[in-house]
Amino acid sequence: MGRKGLIALIIIVLLCVLGYLAVQRSQQQSTAQVESAPWLAAEQGYLNTLQALEIEQPGQPSVRIERRGDTWVVPAKADYPAAPQALAELLRALREARTQEAKTANPQWHARLGLAEEGGADEQALRLKLHFDGYPDLGLRLGNPSQQGSGQLVRRAGEDQVWLIDQQLQVPTRELDWLDRRITDIPFTRIASLVLRYADGEKLTLTRADAQQYNFAVAELRKEQKLSFEGAANGVALVFSNLQFADAAPLAQIGFKQAPMLQFSLSGFAEEKLEGALYKQGEQYWLVLGEREGFNAAEVSARSDWAYRLEPDQVQRLAKKLRDLLVKSP
């Protein structure tokens, strides 16, 4: 090869290298733009106008929550208030989700990614439908979590393109998990007295003179009797701190057939009052709250026209009798 031919060949090779580098740089810039883009870029301006959310998990009943004024409710649970934290976390994740990588646009691969419309339960996507005020509905499909990190595979309904986003969307799929399950959250230091009255006539009265007295005294304790330990009665009052239900139903639906097994009266140091009753229906225990006074909505969240099912361990802690607090006989 002559000198001129060699120079021409070198020039051609350099042009090819420069062209390859230019293509690579263009691809990297495109990828960077994809990675930095919000997944729901078009909806960013009106996500806060969300009016309703529907969740469909393969093989399970669909769940719907709706906005009613300033609150969210679960219509299938007689418009019981929805848990604000679950919705806030989902909306935050949708707002902050950013695309990390474009995956397959071939629908034949959707089943392997948990994003199919049909197929086995592990092949189908979790379906979300968002209803906005004055804007088009938005359908989303949520698939498998990323194998490389904390992201998730997703796509829009009606589109084949799969994206890897940098968020894992936590979506409760049961109505119960969307309910605001708080019954009471009364600080222990606020409780001055608690009186339990049983159907058999037995009574347990727990009192404190002031907030500086940590342990409750038991009015029915005789001189020859001794508590198992100094704060044995405290656990009964502590039930009303962060008390949550296992299930809930309108009081009219339950139709209790017997008188309550237990009635209680709770009083606070600032003259707050709360009354209620515990019923046994079959093998389940239901709590019903009655008159209340002085407690705010965060301290007593439950409604008086609903019944709240408690777990056995909650009932065991609440339904104490005097003999349960005493030193056990040898």
Side-chain angles (χ1 to χ4, degrees):
M1 179 182 296
R3 182 178 178 183
K4 292 183 178 179
L6 180 60
I7 292 174
L9 179 61
I10 292 173
I11 292 174
I12 292 172
V13 171
L14 287 174
L15 290 174
C16 290
V17 170
L18 292 173
Y20 174 79
L21 292 175
V23 170
Q24 288 293 102
R25 179 177 296 178
S26 176
Q27 291 179 344
Q28 290 174 356
Q29 290 175 345
S30 298
T31 300
Q33 290 175 355
V34 168
E35 290 178 351
S36 64
W39 177 40
L40 302 181
E43 293 79 17
Q44 287 293 308
Y46 58 84
L47 278 175
N48 60 347
T49 70
L50 184 67
Q51 297 297 307
L53 176 66
E54 296 177 32
I55 305 104
E56 293 185 19
Q57 174 77 21
Q60 295 186 20
S62 62
V63 177
R64 181 182 175 92
I65 61 171
E66 296 179 0
R67 186 199 294 267
R68 301 287 172 80
D70 294 331
T71 62
W72 285 83
V73 302
V74 182
K77 278 290 188 179
D79 288 349
Y80 199 84
Q85 187 66 22
L87 181 64
E89 286 296 318
L90 176 59
L91 287 178
R92 179 201 58 76
L94 289 173
R95 186 174 290 110
E96 295 180 1
R98 308 186 77 82
T99 52
Q100 290 188 314
E101 186 179 350
K103 296 293 187 179
T104 182
N106 186 346
Q108 295 182 355
W109 288 90
H110 287 175
R112 296 190 181 186
L113 305 177
L115 282 168
E117 294 292 337
E118 299 179 351
D122 59 339
E123 297 175 332
Q124 295 185 54
L126 175 67
R127 300 175 178 88
L128 293 186
K129 191 170 185 179
L130 288 74
H131 302 269
F132 299 99
D133 183 14
Y135 297 92
D137 294 344
L138 174 63
L140 303 177
R141 302 293 184 260
L142 311 184
N144 297 339
S146 170
Q147 296 181 349
Q148 290 80 33
S150 59
Q152 188 172 9
L153 297 170
V154 297
R155 65 182 179 88
R156 291 172 178 260
E159 296 183 3
D160 294 331
Q161 179 63 58
V162 176
W163 297 93
L164 173 64
I165 60 173
D166 62 354
Q167 301 278 333
Q168 281 196 12
L169 305 177
Q170 303 297 325
V171 184
T173 58
R174 301 186 307 160
E175 288 174 354
L176 180 62
D177 295 331
W178 278 103
L179 299 180
D180 185 349
R181 297 170 66 175
R182 297 173 299 170
I183 300 177
T184 60
D185 192 9
I186 301 173
F188 178 76
T189 54
R190 295 271 303 279
I191 302 174
S193 68
L194 177 62
V195 181
L196 307 180
R197 298 179 179 87
Y198 286 85
D200 61 5
E202 187 170 345
K203 181 180 177 182
L204 182 66
T205 306
L206 313 179
T207 60
R208 291 192 292 190
D210 51 52
Q212 284 67 47
Q213 178 183 333
Y214 184 75
N215 296 319
F216 279 89
V218 181
E220 290 79 11
L221 189 68
R222 300 192 301 270
K223 292 182 178 181
E224 69 274 13
Q225 294 176 321
K226 184 178 181 181
L227 297 176
S228 58
F229 61 97
E230 190 175 0
N234 294 350
V236 185
L238 278 169
V239 171
F240 294 92
S241 298
N242 194 30
L243 179 60
Q244 300 192 14
F245 60 79
D247 200 356
L251 189 56
Q253 288 185 9
I254 302 295
F256 294 114
K257 299 177 177 61
Q258 298 179 350
M261 58 175 284
L262 168 67
Q263 294 177 289
F264 68 84
S265 298
L266 184 150
S267 299
F269 286 110
E271 299 185 356
E272 305 95 334
K273 294 181 180 179
L274 176 64
E275 295 184 352
L278 183 66
Y279 293 82
K280 185 176 183 181
Q281 186 91 317
E283 297 301 319
Q284 297 181 339
Y285 296 89
W286 295 84
L287 183 70
V288 177
L289 296 189
E291 183 179 352
R292 69 196 70 186
E293 183 180 335
F295 292 112
N296 60 43
E299 293 167 333
V300 180
S301 307
R303 294 160 47 170
S304 57
D305 57 343
W306 278 66
Y308 301 93
R309 184 170 65 82
L310 301 184
E311 297 288 5
D313 65 304
Q314 294 173 307
V315 174
Q316 186 177 17
R317 290 164 51 207
L318 173 61
K320 295 287 188 184
K321 292 189 173 184
L322 178 60
R323 61 175 178 269
D324 300 318
L325 306 178
L326 301 178
V327 173
K328 303 302 179 183
S329 302

